[in-house]
Amino acid sequence: MSDTATAHQASGAAAPRRSPTALPRSFVWTRRIVLTLLAVFTATPLYVMVSSSLKPLEEVSGTFRWIPAELTLEPYRDIWRTVPLGRYFLNSLIVSASATACSVVVAVFAAYAVSRYRFRGRQVFTVTVLSTQMFPGILFLLPLFLLFVNVGNATGLALYGSRGALILTYMTFTLPLSIWMLAGYFASIPRDLDEAALVDGCGPLGALFRVLIPAAVPGIIAVTVYSFMTAWGEVLFASVMTNDATRTLSIGLQGYATRTEVYWNQVMAASLVVSVPVVAGFLLLQRYLVAGLTAGAVK
Amino acid sequence: MTAHSAPRTPAPAAGDTARGPTRTAADRTPAPAPGRRSAAPGAPAPSGTRRPAAGSPLRDRVRSAGLPYLLLLPALALELLIHLVPMATGIVMAFKDLTQEYISDWSAAPWAGLDNFRVAVDVDAPVGEALLRSFAVTCGFTVLAVGLSWLLGVTAAILMQDAFRGRGLLRALFLTPYALPVYAAVITWSFLLQHDNGLLNHVLHDQLGLTDGKPFWLVGDNSFVALLLVAVWRTWPFAFLLLTAALQNVSADLYEASALDGAGMWRQIRHITLPALRPVNQVLVLVLFLWTFNDFNVPFVLFGKSAPQSADLVSLHIYQSSFVTWDFGAGSAMSVLLLLFLLLVTAGYLLLTSRGRGSADV
């Protein structure tokens, strides 16, 4: 019943890939069973996150219950007091947004050069960028930590623990990612477009700003979302490179565990609060993300 | 979106190859030109089509030669600052006896030669033995996690290729674990995996009666299972996302033609859908491998600074040797070894897949 109903909708929107009546029973049943199992697997932790964030502390500390005995919004009030969540939130926002913005701006120029010009060293550059992306973060963490400490000692600048230093370390992963994705996206835009601008008397930068960048808006959105998401979830650098004042959410959330007790309802409430903005942004913009990712991957 | 970019992609690629020879031809012709003057007039023509802007050709050439480097300058400077200098520093550090005392001035640390590496690979001593075990755990974990994530991703992508009621909602649900910040997701899992008040033990013991008591999931041998579960939960949506996009590019004609020839659904999946996914699969598996192998976030949030032996992934292991034991020299040596391993595997994989692709074309 449901299949025939959607078949009409689908044929209205776009040509159906296969005639829906041709879907064999075995396929339809496999689909129902497998997708149900996958949905349960995916949704269970999400349900636990939401339901536990509405439970009083006694309930989350005892045996697990699927249906909350009592609903309360207290955890959502308390999360801001137990730890300075607002400050962590702000730190995460500043660091992630700055790292993303810097990376995307720098990457636009680099991707333009790589995708539109043939020059000596181009191959070396792209290979370097690509390979640094695959290196483990731990590889850069140790030296960057020591370099920041040493340069700080030598110059008196408080580099280690500062937001600026953290932004720089976040760029170790946001920058190659942005260059790689944008270069792929630019390559998927027909050259005729910006070459026509050159013929019409635009300089190379004019062609970039007036033609290529507007044409690449979906790709730029994708890169921005993706970089921001990655930075927002970063744990490794934050665990070493931050101090009390600059701590980000990834480490700050551990503050809900005291020596004697873990405030699980608050942990879940806080997790939800820090997740909602990125998840919403991701789901809204995911079609762009897919376009950007595949352009980068297929290239 | 992707349906648009797909047919476009080959176009610039073809332009590249068309452009490459044109350019080299233009560059080469001047060389034999003194001998054969007749070749010279031919030379400006290709370069003229290449950059049709007005102005003196010489100034044009200088400008267009310098421009790419100018555009790259910020990226180059940053790459140097955040990747190349730290990497070089890391390699130097691996040859030094860099203990806690030298944190304030690492260059003052005495040279250790190959000692750090010797300690790291000496499997009879505690450090080397622990590293080897951690490496083995990571390999097993990576193979299982990548395999399972890919399997779930490809299954869901294929099953959701056709429209059905609720597909959009299901898609959003499936993608959510990937969009969640890793620590929020993993913290939630660590709550599910708690011994006394976790959901998993409640279901397994209280509701289904499958286990005798309530097992510990975050200590001991079970932690490998716990780690795998969380990693697959987080990773498979990415496979799903990429493969779904790839499926949008499979031409509907292929399905129609094969349906006319009497191919059933399952045969279509085997002979059209799966082969069409091959190029994306190759990239996907490599990316998943690198992410999973290097993963630090999941074990760190799940277990803290030191994981149980059965779930001690290499990244966390190096972190622990460096920032808990404060032996940076050993940590750097391990990082360099890890890097060499990843380079080898990636190069091997790329060689293998590009050869496979080449023979498929022929």
Side-chain angles (χ1 to χ4, degrees):
Chain A
M1 146 80 209
S2 67
D3 291 306
T4 40
T6 43
H8 291 297
Q9 291 168 9
S11 59
R17 293 186 164 254
R18 310 178 189 93
S19 132
T21 48
L23 283 182
R25 272 186 107 74
S26 62
F27 180 81
V28 174
W29 275 104
T30 313
R31 183 165 79 185
R32 279 185 195 144
I33 294 166
V34 173
L35 292 186
T36 307
L37 289 178
L38 268 177
V40 170
F41 176 51
T42 308
T44 306
L46 303 175
Y47 170 74
V48 170
M49 192 194 244
V50 176
S51 67
S52 304
S53 74
L54 297 166
K55 291 175 179 175
L57 184 61
E58 313 83 69
E59 203 182 328
V60 287
S61 311
T63 307
F64 180 82
R65 299 170 72 127
W66 285 97
I67 316 278
E70 181 196 338
L71 291 179
T72 169
L73 282 174
E74 264 172 39
Y76 286 90
R77 193 194 63 202
D78 296 338
I79 47 173
W80 308 94
R81 295 187 210 150
T82 315
V83 303
L85 190 66
R87 193 169 71 217
Y88 300 155
F89 212 97
L90 191 68
N91 285 335
S92 275
L93 193 65
I94 291 173
V95 173
S96 307
S98 311
T100 301
C102 293
S103 302
V104 172
V105 169
V106 170
V108 163
F109 293 108
Y112 179 53
V114 168
S115 72
R116 289 304 196 253
Y117 292 92
R118 300 286 164 273
F119 53 91
R120 196 184 289 266
R122 174 177 172 273
Q123 208 78 50
V124 178
F125 179 78
T126 41
V127 169
T128 309
V129 169
L130 254 179
S131 45
T132 49
Q133 201 179 4
M134 62 177 243
F135 296 162
I138 189 87
L139 192 75
F140 303 111
L141 176 72
L142 296 170
L144 279 170
F145 168 73
L146 285 187
L147 285 173
F148 285 153
V149 170
N150 282 204
V151 172
N153 283 345
T155 60
L157 289 169
L159 273 179
Y160 168 67
S162 71
R163 282 200 203 104
L166 195 60
I167 291 168
L168 211 59
T169 60
Y170 275 27
M171 289 180 76
T172 57
F173 55 89
T174 54
L175 184 67
L177 194 113
S178 307
I179 294 178
W180 182 65
M181 275 174 75
L182 273 179
Y185 203 88
F186 280 176
S188 76
I189 295 171
R191 248 159 220 269
D192 310 346
L193 223 61
D194 44 301
E195 279 186 353
L198 288 174
V199 174
D200 290 345
C202 264
L205 283 181
L208 172 66
F209 280 107
R210 290 190 193 181
V211 180
L212 207 53
I213 290 181
V217 163
I220 294 173
I221 293 178
V223 174
T224 309
V225 173
Y226 198 62
S227 281
F228 186 84
M229 248 178 69
T230 324
W232 190 256
E234 207 286 329
V235 176
L236 176 64
F237 291 109
S239 76
V240 171
M241 299 283 195
T242 56
N243 57 30
D244 283 344
T246 57
R247 190 149 301 157
T248 60
L249 289 167
S250 54
I251 304 304
L253 245 52
Q254 291 172 3
Y256 294 105
T258 65
R259 202 159 294 172
T260 50
E261 198 165 18
V262 182
Y263 301 121
W264 281 115
N265 52 349
Q266 292 188 41
V267 175
M268 296 297 112
S271 300
L272 208 63
V273 167
V274 305
S275 301
V276 163
V278 269
V279 173
F282 173 84
L283 291 179
L284 280 175
L285 300 169
Q286 44 124 335
R287 29 172 76 250
Y288 299 111
L289 189 73
V290 169
L293 275 177
T294 40
V298 173
K299 192 208 144 208
Chain B
M1 214 71 251
T2 41
H4 285 292
S5 63
R8 266 193 217 152
T9 328
D16 281 2
T17 46
R19 196 172 243 226
T22 325
R23 194 207 143 141
T24 44
D27 287 349
R28 270 187 213 141
T29 15
R36 292 171 56 195
R37 256 153 218 285
S38 58
S47 69
T49 50
R50 186 160 58 95
R51 195 149 309 290
S56 95
L58 182 69
R59 215 179 66 190
D60 227 44
R61 178 168 284 201
V62 169
R63 193 187 285 163
S64 64
L67 183 73
Y69 298 106
L70 210 63
L71 289 167
L72 277 189
L73 201 63
L76 278 174
L78 271 172
E79 281 288 326
L80 203 69
L81 193 65
I82 60 182
H83 284 140
L84 300 179
V85 168
M87 220 149 72
T89 312
I91 291 172
V92 173
M93 278 161 53
F95 293 95
K96 290 206 159 205
D97 190 15
L98 202 60
T99 47
Q100 205 170 352
E101 308 163 42
Y102 299 104
I103 286 181
S104 56
D105 185 13
W106 66 275
S107 53
W111 286 98
L114 286 171
D115 279 358
N116 289 325
F117 291 94
R118 224 169 274 146
V119 170
V121 296
D122 181 9
V123 292
D124 293 326
V127 175
E129 194 200 346
L131 182 65
L132 183 70
R133 192 178 48 227
S134 157
F135 179 75
V137 166
T138 312
C139 287
F141 166 75
T142 306
V143 169
L144 284 172
V146 172
L148 287 170
S149 300
W150 177 82
L151 194 68
L152 293 184
V154 82
T155 308
I158 288 177
L159 292 177
M160 289 171 72
Q161 196 181 1
D162 301 281
F164 57 87
R165 183 180 296 191
R167 183 172 70 154
L169 214 65
L170 208 56
R171 211 175 114 92
L173 172 68
F174 285 170
L175 292 180
T176 303
Y178 177 67
L180 281 178
V182 55
Y183 48 88
V186 179
I187 281 180
T188 307
W189 270 102
S190 73
F191 177 52
L192 265 71
L193 295 165
Q194 287 298 304
H195 178 252
D196 294 323
N197 55 346
L199 167 139
L200 194 67
N201 277 343
H202 176 65
V203 171
L204 287 181
H205 182 256
D206 302 348
Q207 295 193 309
L208 300 176
L210 288 175
T211 49
D212 281 342
K214 293 187 170 183
F216 284 95
W217 293 101
L218 297 176
V219 285
D221 287 346
N222 284 334
S223 23
F224 184 82
V225 181
L227 183 68
L228 190 64
L229 189 68
V230 180
V232 170
W233 185 81
R234 262 193 59 74
T235 313
W236 84 268
F238 181 75
F240 170 68
L241 185 76
L242 266 196
L243 292 170
T244 302
L247 281 182
Q248 286 172 9
N249 298 338
V250 183
S251 156
D253 300 346
L254 283 176
Y255 290 113
E256 278 162 25
S258 65
L260 285 178
D261 291 343
M265 186 95 196
W266 297 107
R267 286 184 78 179
Q268 288 183 334
I269 289 174
R270 244 186 72 201
H271 296 289
I272 299 176
T273 314
L274 286 175
L277 290 181
R278 249 189 89 189
V280 174
N281 273 334
Q282 288 176 348
V283 177
L284 177 67
V285 167
L286 180 63
V287 168
L288 287 183
F289 163 77
L290 291 171
W291 283 353
T292 313
F293 199 93
N294 295 334
D295 194 16
F296 170 86
N297 298 338
V298 176
F300 182 79
V301 181
L302 209 52
F303 304 117
K305 284 183 181 168
S306 41
Q309 280 190 5
S310 72
D312 190 18
L313 299 190
V314 168
S315 281
L316 191 63
H317 188 79
I318 295 176
Y319 180 92
Q320 203 211 349
S321 338
S322 311
F323 291 97
V324 179
T325 326
W326 297 106
D327 190 346
F328 289 108
S332 304
M334 292 179 194
S335 302
V336 172
L337 290 175
L338 175 64
L339 179 66
L340 287 176
F341 171 77
L342 290 173
L343 281 176
L344 268 176
V345 172
T346 309
Y349 182 83
L350 289 178
L351 217 65
L352 215 72
T353 50
S354 67
R355 187 181 298 161
R357 205 179 290 169
S359 64
D361 288 342
V362 168

